[in-house]
Amino acid sequence: MSLERDLVSPDAEGDEQAIESALRPKRLAEFIGQGRVREQLSLVLESALRRNRPPDHVLMSGSPGLGKTTLAMIIAAELAMPLRLTSGPALERAGDLAAILSTLSEGEVLFIDEIHRMARPAEEMLYLAMEDFRVDIVVGKGPGATAIPLEIAPFTLVGATTRAGLLPAPLRDRFGFVAHMDFYDVPELEQVLRRSARLLGLDLPDAGAHEIARRSRGTPRIANRLLRRVRDFAEVRVDGVITRDVASAALDLYEVDAEGLDRLDRAVLNALLRKFGGGPVGLSTLAVAVGEEPETVEVVAEPFLVRQGLIARTPRGRVATASAWTHLGLAPPPDAFGAAQPVLFDDPPSPA
Ligand SMILES: Nc1ncnc2c1ncn2[C@@H]1O[C@H](COP(=O)(O)OP(=O)(O)OP(=O)(O)O)[C@@H](O)[C@H]1O
């Protein structure tokens, strides 16, 4: 029985979340792409297993959907240790973190997603926990307050962030291994899709996989999501086989263009070109123009648009490149590229 039919039981019907998590690779050997990260991580884990000690703390940075949560689960599985999951926004007070740390068992893997969004007091508690496996519980208030040290079991912290630049240096420096997750190339996404199609019992010839892969914004989560939408189309409109033409027609219907740009990407490009003459324009102004939060534009749309060479981040704001004008079929104004050449930042400040 295919995984999907397994999952589409009465209580799981239509549960896309359940399908997404069932599609996660479970072991490092099954994890596709990110060759360098995989090799480095396997050394870190292997050496820890040989020494019979928890490995160094691991920080993973990269755009949403590149596999950070999946890798955290794999780390725990490879170490044969339990995994505790939480996220930065859930750790509002130091006590929230203390409650978790004090109940960890030896060697347990603690995954903190969106670690850059953790509140300051929790962050400070984490420094000590990461370094000395100890937390200071403060009892009382004002001048009478006392810190009671509490030993905690040695554990491995796995932090994930979409915005490594926002992590304070003292926190970043306490991670022994930092993995930078990059966008996936088309052949890697084809492998992700073929694997998912096999698990879901779908008929996906190579040309169909290629068409979906090249429109997946370099992101496995998007590849899997598009696969499900193309499957709907293939099952309802044709015979279920996901040929290149079927994939192409389905993705056109869902407004994913030939380069993989979706509605938000195109809205950002359209605003930048049509409203601001190609920029430079500040992030917040651009976000208001597309009706989104600046963080959504910065974290979700921008990295891919920059990677595709459609926009550049400069000290004066966002600027469209010549390819952006071509992509939207527009002619740039005569002075569009007269401004100083963009200076690219790896992790620029967010100009208001
Ligand atoms: N290397 C990979 N090989 C196969 N599938 C993958 C891979 N990486 C991610 N996936 C798939 O993509 C989906 C999203 O991955 P995951 O949730 O780990 O991303 P993430 O980086 O943690 O995203 P976010 O930051 O948004 O939480 C998962 O369902 C998983 O099936």
Side-chain angles (χ1 to χ4, degrees):
M1 186 187 251
S2 81
L3 173 63
E4 174 137 52
R5 244 169 288 140
D6 242 2
L7 285 164
V8 182
S9 56
D11 55 339
E13 198 171 338
D15 188 348
E16 302 238 337
Q17 289 278 348
I19 295 180
E20 180 170 305
S21 80
L23 290 177
R24 286 183 198 283
K26 307 279 182 289
R27 303 305 291 247
L28 207 49
E30 275 180 79
F31 193 84
I32 294 158
Q34 310 291 343
R36 193 178 296 269
V37 166
R38 220 167 358 115
E39 194 177 345
Q40 292 167 342
L41 190 58
S42 85
L43 277 176
V44 171
L45 298 178
E46 177 72 38
S47 134
L49 283 170
R50 284 185 188 202
R51 285 178 294 115
N52 202 17
R53 300 269 311 138
D56 267 354
H57 305 300
V58 177
L59 177 66
M60 295 181 291
S61 72
S63 289
L66 295 184
K68 298 183 292 299
T69 307
T70 304
L71 261 191
M73 292 176 169
I74 287 177
I75 290 173
E78 295 289 341
L79 295 169
M81 285 293 163
L83 174 73
R84 194 87 64 97
L85 293 128
T86 185
S87 74
L91 303 172
E92 273 179 44
R93 292 164 301 138
D96 299 330
L97 182 62
I100 296 175
L101 291 172
S102 59
T103 53
L104 288 175
S105 53
E106 181 159 352
E108 194 161 353
V109 177
L110 171 62
F111 176 59
I112 307 186
D113 202 4
E114 298 188 78
I115 194 165
H116 61 277
R117 295 180 62 190
M118 203 167 50
R120 190 74 208 211
E123 194 180 287
E124 278 163 12
M125 172 175 280
L126 194 57
Y127 295 162
L128 201 58
M130 289 171 81
E131 215 156 68
D132 295 341
F133 300 120
R134 179 165 69 86
V135 291
D136 281 340
I137 307 287
V138 180
V139 191
K141 279 193 176 152
T146 329
I148 303 176
L150 180 73
E151 295 275 318
I152 54 174
F155 68 104
T156 299
L157 175 67
V158 179
T161 179
T162 47
R163 307 183 73 190
L166 291 188
L167 276 195
L171 180 56
R172 212 172 34 226
D173 294 346
R174 282 173 168 81
F175 287 97
F177 174 59
V178 180
H180 297 284
M181 314 271 291
D182 214 337
F183 287 110
Y184 292 64
D185 61 26
V186 171
E188 288 166 347
L189 291 172
E190 287 173 13
Q191 279 188 58
V192 170
L193 286 161
R194 278 197 294 270
R195 176 179 175 276
S196 302
R198 199 179 59 246
L199 290 170
L200 296 172
L202 305 179
D203 192 346
L204 178 67
D206 288 349
H210 180 74
E211 188 61 26
I212 303 173
R214 72 188 190 88
R215 298 200 198 192
S216 296
R217 298 176 95 256
T219 308
R221 174 180 293 138
I222 297 181
N224 283 338
R225 191 168 69 215
L226 295 183
L227 177 64
R228 297 195 295 272
R229 296 294 70 78
V230 172
R231 169 214 53 197
D232 298 345
F233 184 97
E235 286 176 355
V236 174
R237 299 263 171 101
V238 288
D239 57 1
V241 183
I242 303 173
T243 61
R244 187 167 68 85
D245 289 347
V246 167
S248 172
L251 295 174
D252 288 346
L253 184 71
Y254 286 105
E255 300 183 80
V256 176
D257 76 17
E259 294 263 338
L261 272 61
D262 61 16
R263 280 166 64 103
L264 176 63
D265 299 322
R266 278 196 307 276
V268 169
L269 270 196
N270 262 310
L272 183 56
L273 269 52
R274 294 179 201 270
K275 293 192 178 143
F276 306 108
V281 61
L283 174 66
S284 329
T285 312
L286 192 56
V288 169
V290 297
E292 284 289 350
E293 290 297 318
E295 189 174 343
T296 308
V297 172
E298 191 174 27
V299 171
V300 179
E302 254 186 21
F304 180 69
L305 294 174
V306 169
R307 186 199 184 225
Q308 294 299 94
L310 294 167
I311 68 172
R313 304 204 269 202
T314 78
R316 291 187 300 136
R318 277 55 179 169
V319 181
T321 64
S323 312
W325 293 94
T326 315
H327 188 80
L328 290 193
L330 299 171
D335 61 343
F337 307 106
Q341 281 299 309
V343 181
L344 300 179
F345 277 77
D346 273 348
D347 216 338
S350 311

